[in-house]
Amino acid sequence: MTDEFTNEIYYDEDADVSNIEDKTVAVLGYGSQGHAHALNLQDSGVDVVVGLQKSSASREAAEDEGLAVTTPVDAASRSDIVTLLVPDTVQPTVYEQIRDELDAGDTLQFAHGFNIHYGQIEPPADVDVTMIAPKSPGHLVRRNYTKDEGTPGLLAVYQDATGEAKDEALAYAKAIGCTRAGTIETTFREETETDLFGEQAVLCGGVTDLVKAGFETLVDAGYSPEMAYFECLNEMKLIVDLMYEGGNMEMWNSVSDTAEYGGLTRGEAVIDREGMEEILESVQNGEFAREWISENQAHRPAYKQYRQAEQDHQIEEVGERLRDLFAWGAEQE
Ligand code: NAD
Ligand code: MG
């Protein structure tokens, strides 16, 4: 652990899997995170049962891996730790089904804080409520584990009824491989708000809008869509890989002086700070959460429209054609 961070970071030596060795973990859901948690826990010697609806197409896949599979209600009734790994929008419904199976001293665990932070799930006071959130898609959580590598993770304790919530959460983090890489302690609020802000303003929203705006600007000015695609989308990965490896400086050091000077003097002009602050505010005051919850209750009319528009954007058609023509398309997974 280091003093340089305000948040503690935990590694394997800080965690003890024996804290959950005599417990049963119910993993509800077998998607991206669910399959990785269930398989890593099983390989770490933890007693796991996967909870899936009778009609779930994932049942066979889980059983083929030697996992015990039952319904969410039965899995929750048999277990001491229940990890909710169904989609966030589905979690309140699944929680309603299993809430009566949570005994005093049991643990309700999450991989994202949305439903707790925005009051969509209100667990009883006598259960522990924790979060272990790998900072990576599930297939990497699984692949890293099988290669004896770790996946960075977040840990948060929302409610500690037993006094053992954190030790148990650390044990779980170790069993899925997160303390191999380092697990940062945070809160449900910090995780939820930074996660939503990041995916909206920078990662998913910000970056796609930046790419599309650059592409459209070039195409509208008469340049070829193929050139615009390479310049604005394809090369993004090369730049981001350098930033991932060694921060912004590694990237600046690797590009030409011309690119560096142009980027340093011009980049700021496309950033809307007030827009970013508004996004953060609507995350903090719950406005985004309310909008998304009612959008789901209405069966996602706006979501479907936005998705269709994204699909219909010229950059999709150009990209599909170019990825077929060039070798990098084939070497991707
Ligand atoms: P997912 O969409 O990949 O999988 C969810 C699984 O839940 C499905 O495969 C299915 O088994 C089950 N399911 C789906 N609909 C259901 C329904 N109506 N009723 C019951 N079960 C249903 O979900 P995910 O991406 O693994 O997300 C699970 C949790 O992990 C979420 O809280 C998410 O925020 C969090 N998380 C995800 C990632 C990621 O990269 N995917 C990273 C960190 C945290
Ligand atoms: Mg996220």
Side-chain angles (χ1 to χ4, degrees):
M1 273 162 272
T2 153
D3 297 332
E4 289 160 40
F5 299 92
T6 36
N7 297 25
E8 295 277 9
I9 303 181
Y10 298 99
Y11 298 95
D12 271 356
E13 64 263 27
D14 305 310
D16 186 353
V17 177
S18 75
N19 284 323
I20 56 169
E21 237 160 36
D22 56 350
K23 314 226 169 186
T24 299
V25 177
V27 172
L28 306 189
Y30 199 71
S32 176
Q33 290 296 322
H35 92 283
H37 289 226
L39 293 172
N40 292 5
L41 286 162
Q42 174 170 261
D43 289 351
S44 294
V46 177
D47 187 29
V48 193
V49 54
V50 175
L52 291 171
Q53 310 296 346
K54 288 221 166 79
S55 58
S56 170
S58 307
R59 284 191 152 233
E60 208 181 309
E63 280 165 355
D64 285 349
E65 297 281 1
L67 288 160
V69 182
T70 180
T71 62
V73 173
D74 186 49
S77 82
R78 283 205 232 164
S79 62
D80 314 282
I81 300 169
V82 178
T83 310
L84 264 182
L85 295 175
V86 298
D88 295 298
T89 49
V90 175
Q91 286 180 10
T93 309
V94 173
Y95 175 74
E96 288 309 314
Q97 296 164 6
I98 61 106
R99 61 186 293 171
D100 292 340
E101 312 305 329
L102 293 174
D103 304 318
D106 280 358
T107 297
L108 182 63
Q109 191 168 265
F110 294 85
H112 177 40
F114 188 98
N115 286 301
I116 289 289
H117 182 56
Y118 293 115
Q120 300 305 294
I121 292 176
E122 293 177 0
D126 58 4
V127 305
D128 291 348
V129 181
T130 58
M131 167 166 46
I132 293 297
K135 286 309 275 177
S136 152
H139 75 276
L140 282 180
V141 177
R142 178 57 182 161
R143 191 201 293 163
N144 291 343
Y145 182 93
T146 58
K147 291 198 301 188
D148 284 326
E149 288 166 14
T151 306
L154 303 177
L155 171 154
V157 176
Y158 177 75
Q159 191 165 283
D160 187 5
T162 63
E164 289 159 13
K166 188 163 158 184
D167 286 340
E168 257 189 26
L170 278 170
Y172 188 104
K174 186 172 188 173
I176 66 168
C178 283
T179 50
R180 284 181 190 167
T183 293
I184 307 175
E185 185 163 10
T186 181
T187 61
F188 274 64
R189 177 185 169 208
E190 186 181 46
E191 184 275 336
T192 305
E193 293 180 355
T194 57
D195 189 67
L196 292 175
F197 174 79
E199 66 202 16
Q200 292 173 21
V202 181
L203 307 172
C204 311
V207 87
T208 49
D209 272 305
L210 181 65
V211 165
K212 282 184 292 180
F215 176 88
E216 287 167 15
T217 301
L218 287 177
V219 172
D220 288 352
Y223 298 98
S224 81
E226 291 75 14
M227 287 292 287
Y229 181 87
F230 270 111
E231 198 53 52
C232 300
L233 190 148
N234 185 260
E235 284 191 36
M236 179 70 81
K237 174 169 165 49
L238 315 177
I239 294 301
V240 169
D241 281 352
L242 293 167
M243 290 162 65
Y244 182 84
E245 246 174 62
N248 289 343
M249 282 317 295
E250 166 109 357
M251 187 279 289
W252 291 129
N253 290 336
S254 309
V255 299
S256 71
D257 292 354
T258 311
E260 187 177 5
Y261 179 77
L264 286 170
T265 54
R266 302 302 199 266
E268 177 71 24
V270 300
I271 299 303
D272 175 4
R273 262 333 140 98
E274 270 175 38
M276 277 198 171
E277 279 160 23
E278 277 165 27
I279 288 175
L280 182 57
E281 223 175 276
S282 90
V283 164
Q284 289 172 330
N285 65 22
E287 196 184 308
F288 170 76
R290 282 191 295 277
E291 179 185 322
W292 178 223
I293 290 160
S294 54
E295 172 70 8
N296 275 283
Q297 283 162 351
H299 305 291
R300 305 186 167 189
Y303 175 86
K304 285 173 193 158
Q305 275 181 17
Y306 283 112
R307 265 200 124 196
Q308 191 58 50
E310 192 75 352
Q311 178 63 52
D312 294 341
H313 194 283
Q314 187 188 9
I315 202 168
E316 290 305 306
E317 176 269 315
V318 174
E320 210 178 309
R321 209 155 25 83
L322 288 179
R323 289 191 301 271
D324 277 347
L325 287 175
F326 290 89
W328 89 89
E331 65 199 35
Q332 278 177 349
E333 307 173 80

